[in-house]
Amino acid sequence: MARCTFLGLGVMGYPMAGHLAGAGHDVVVWNRTAAKMEQWAAEHAGVSAPSVEAAVADADFVFACLGDDPDVRAVAEQAIPAMKPGAVLVDHTTASAELARELDQAARDAGIGFLDAPVSGGQAGAENGQLTIMCGGEADTFARAEPVMDAYAKASSLIGPAGAGQLCKMVNQICIAGIVQGLSEGLHFAKRSGLDPALVIGAISKGAAQSWQMENRWQTMVKDEFDFGFAIDWMRKDLRITLEEARRNGARLPVAALVDQFYADVQAMGGNRWDTSSLIARLERDL
């Protein structure tokens, strides 16, 4: 069992830290909102810390799941100098590859390990301990962290050096954007054609059109219910990071850029906190 710290107790971090405690690890938590970490500590018989520095001081592994690059950088600037030599910092935030490389160098300078380790699976995956983790970093650091991350993961992969985990997560979001838009258009077309969506999905889900999104979201999509997953605000943040990286590496992402604008339309409809399957709403409702 390891001494672990978890920084950031949002919809993802809160259950992820809980799985660490449930697996028998000693867990200290820190969160900007004190009430949230006190709630977690009471629920899991754990320990909350008054500051980032106090939280990480004795940890073997420090896990972070925050919002965006500025949040990660601000917390890392406090955490890295306070961590003990040989400890490992694992950043589960979906952030830029550029920041991952910056933190990797800062960690090396401080004598600690670092992994950029964004996750896929959403809130349900975090709550059920079934996340997919894409990692960038050194092989020995990954080998040390993987058994601990198993507490909330169904699969963890080392993709390459620092930044590779974030780049892999960008690929994940590119693929999801196109799949959800295609599913939205297909369901919209079926309804306008007078077809029963249940019969249509029953037929096509056994063939090449099958996807996780189809299996898990088609029913809520046709019911106009969008409170079941990853919020649009966060998806647009991820797509912004992805499109910025594409401008740097020369990749052409016409569909991802278009879907990003479709999500902006849904935000304008008041759907900031709707899940990503709400792309169908801009087809079904008047803008």
Side-chain angles (χ1 to χ4, degrees), residues 34-49:
K36 180 67 71 70
M37 64 180 178
E38 296 302 338
Q39 176 186 339
W40 186 95
E43 182 177 338
H44 296 282
V47 177
S48 61

Side-chain angles (χ1 to χ4, degrees), residues 8-282:
L9 298 176
V11 296
M12 301 292 287
Y14 195 102
M16 291 166 74
H19 285 300
L20 286 172
H25 299 294
D26 292 329
V27 183
V28 177
V29 297
W30 173 87
N31 191 66
R32 284 195 181 95
T33 305
K36 180 67 71 70
M37 64 180 178
E38 296 302 338
Q39 176 186 339
W40 186 95
E43 182 177 338
H44 296 282
V47 177
S48 61
S51 68
V52 171
E53 293 87 348
V56 306
D58 295 322
D60 302 312
F61 296 92
V62 174
F63 301 95
C65 194
L66 304 163
D68 204 341
D69 279 27
D71 307 297
V72 177
R73 184 175 285 109
V75 171
E77 286 175 352
Q78 299 172 68
I80 290 175
M83 291 173 63
K84 66 183 184 182
V88 175
L89 173 61
V90 179
D91 182 24
H92 287 306
T93 313
T94 297
S96 70
E98 184 178 18
L99 176 62
R101 298 182 191 109
E102 174 188 321
L103 296 182
D104 179 68
Q105 187 58 57
R108 289 173 185 272
D109 293 343
I112 63 174
F114 174 77
L115 294 174
D116 54 289
V119 301
S120 180
Q123 183 176 348
E127 291 173 349
N128 296 324
Q130 292 291 298
L131 293 170
T132 297
I133 309 178
M134 298 150 271
C135 299
E138 297 293 331
D140 58 344
T141 304
F142 175 74
R144 290 173 58 199
E146 183 181 19
V148 185
M149 296 189 297
D150 279 349
Y152 45 77
K154 67 176 179 181
S156 300
S157 301
L158 180 63
I159 307 301
Q166 297 295 355
L167 293 171
C168 184
K169 178 60 182 288
M170 294 176 204
V171 175
N172 186 78
Q173 302 306 70
I174 292 165
C175 294
I176 288 175
I179 290 169
V180 176
Q181 179 61 21
L183 178 59
S184 297
E185 292 183 16
L187 289 171
H188 175 66
F189 180 89
K191 291 170 70 176
R192 287 299 180 97
S193 300
L195 302 177
D196 182 340
L199 294 177
V200 170
I201 295 298
I204 70 173
S205 65
K206 305 302 187 293
Q210 190 276 338
S211 69
W212 185 96
Q213 298 290 339
M214 180 179 289
E215 293 289 339
N216 291 275
R217 292 288 179 261
W218 78 266
Q219 290 180 303
T220 53
M221 289 170 75
V222 298
K223 292 177 182 177
D224 206 35
E225 298 174 353
F226 308 118
D227 190 27
F228 299 93
F230 192 56
I232 283 179
D233 280 352
W234 293 114
M235 183 61 163
R236 288 211 70 206
K237 182 265 291 186
D238 291 359
L239 289 174
R240 185 200 80 231
I241 292 170
T242 301
L243 294 169
E244 289 172 352
E245 185 66 34
R247 284 190 284 273
R248 282 190 288 269
N249 68 21
R252 293 177 289 180
L253 305 179
V255 173
L258 183 60
V259 174
D260 179 55
Q261 291 308 301
F262 290 165
Y263 278 127
D265 291 341
V266 180
Q267 285 177 319
M269 297 165 60
N272 299 65
R273 300 303 301 170
W274 294 349
D275 69 61
T276 51
S277 70
S278 59
L279 280 173
I280 194 173
R282 67 177 298 280

